[in-house]
Amino acid sequence: MLAALSLPALAQDPAIEQLTERLEVDGQQMPVEHIEETPLAGFYAVRLETGERFYTDADGGYFLVGDLYENAEGGLVNLSEQARNAERAARVAAIPDEERVIFRGTDEPKARVTVFTDTTCPYCRRLHEEVPRLNEMGIEVDYLAFPRGGMSSPGARELQQVWCADNPSEAMSTAKREEALEGNASCDNPVEEQYHLGMQLGVQGTPAIVLPDGRLVPGYVPAERLATMLGLNDE
């Protein structure tokens, strides 16, 4: 598995530090966010500040775009996807509760899923209808904003209204019932930041469900199936 390295750790590895300085295209320095070793000798995994990823040799002379697999005893293992999942889980976990719209049951949750949502999305509304059932099964549902039409779309304004409301969870349910929201959209809110985060984490549409281990599940998933994916139906 590709072990994620922090920026301070990168500075302690001369080979990676030198590679960071060498990564140029047409004379322009590449905006490297981090570089890490791979199990493939002589190749490094690179992530740019834009979220793009690729592999390169130690000199930065050759680039390879795609996923790296290990031919393990039990079959092929997608090491690139494992690394993406680990990063996704860490970045989502770092979002404070006050920047989420949270739906949880009365009991301590057994699992938490994070959902990038858009109030104008029909399948997001369908998933929201499952939230009470999910809460009954011990699954907390945390919403993050992802206006699929971009920040200039009506959905972005509606999401901002949700986050600006005195009771965001109530406002979220109101919007997903296709009822008009009152209140402004001009408060200090995380909608744009979450939208860009979603794009960096591979979200392409809504709903996009992030499981606790960082796996990204695109689209609507019925409550029972989601519980199975979380291992709760086996209890």
Side-chain angles (χ1 to χ4, degrees), residues 51-126:
E52 296 173 282
R53 300 167 180 271
F54 60 91
Y55 297 94
T56 182
D57 65 330
D59 296 323
Y62 294 89
F63 297 161
L64 179 64
V65 178
D67 285 358
L68 179 64
Y69 288 81
E70 177 186 1
N71 189 8
E73 186 175 331
L76 293 177
V77 177
N78 189 330
L79 300 180
S80 300
E81 184 62 22
Q82 285 185 348
R84 285 193 292 268
N85 290 345
E87 179 200 352
R88 194 179 292 120
R91 296 188 70 180
V92 167
I95 299 170
D97 283 357
E98 55 267 26
E99 294 183 6
R100 305 165 180 255
V101 177
I102 298 175
F103 290 82
R104 62 166 62 99
T106 55
D107 298 327
E108 185 70 21
K110 301 175 184 177
R112 177 170 76 167
V113 296
T114 302
V115 182
F116 284 90
T117 194
D118 182 340
T119 52
T120 68
C121 156
Y123 281 100
C124 294
R125 296 177 188 136
R126 187 173 176 186

Side-chain angles (χ1 to χ4, degrees), residues 15-64:
I16 290 179
E17 190 173 7
Q18 291 172 15
L19 177 57
T20 302
E21 296 173 356
R22 290 182 186 141
L23 284 176
E24 297 182 352
V25 173
D26 197 23
Q28 298 294 315
Q29 191 79 24
M30 301 185 78
V32 174
E33 183 166 306
H34 84 241
I35 300 175
E36 57 197 27
E37 294 181 347
T38 76
L40 189 62
F43 270 77
Y44 294 82
V46 180
R47 187 178 77 222
L48 303 181
E49 294 174 359
T50 59
E52 296 173 282
R53 300 167 180 271
F54 60 91
Y55 297 94
T56 182
D57 65 330
D59 296 323
Y62 294 89
F63 297 161
L64 179 64

Side-chain angles (χ1 to χ4, degrees), residues 103 123-132 143 169 172-174 176:
F103 290 82
Y123 281 100
C124 294
R125 296 177 188 136
R126 187 173 176 186
L127 177 62
H128 193 66
E129 292 173 357
E130 301 267 2
V131 167
Y143 283 122
S169 58
M172 180 71 78
S173 293
T174 297
K176 290 195 173 181

Side-chain angles (χ1 to χ4, degrees), residues 151-198:
M151 287 307 301
S152 61
S153 66
R157 174 176 171 77
E158 197 166 70
L159 286 166
Q160 288 172 324
Q161 285 181 287
V162 168
W163 260 262
C164 289
D166 292 336
N167 188 331
S169 58
E170 184 178 292
M172 180 71 78
S173 293
T174 297
K176 290 195 173 181
R177 291 194 299 267
E178 299 186 72
E179 298 175 9
L181 289 174
E182 298 180 0
N184 69 74
S186 58
C187 72
D188 184 17
N189 66 79
V191 170
E192 184 169 6
E193 182 180 353
Q194 292 178 5
Y195 172 60
H196 291 299
L197 173 65

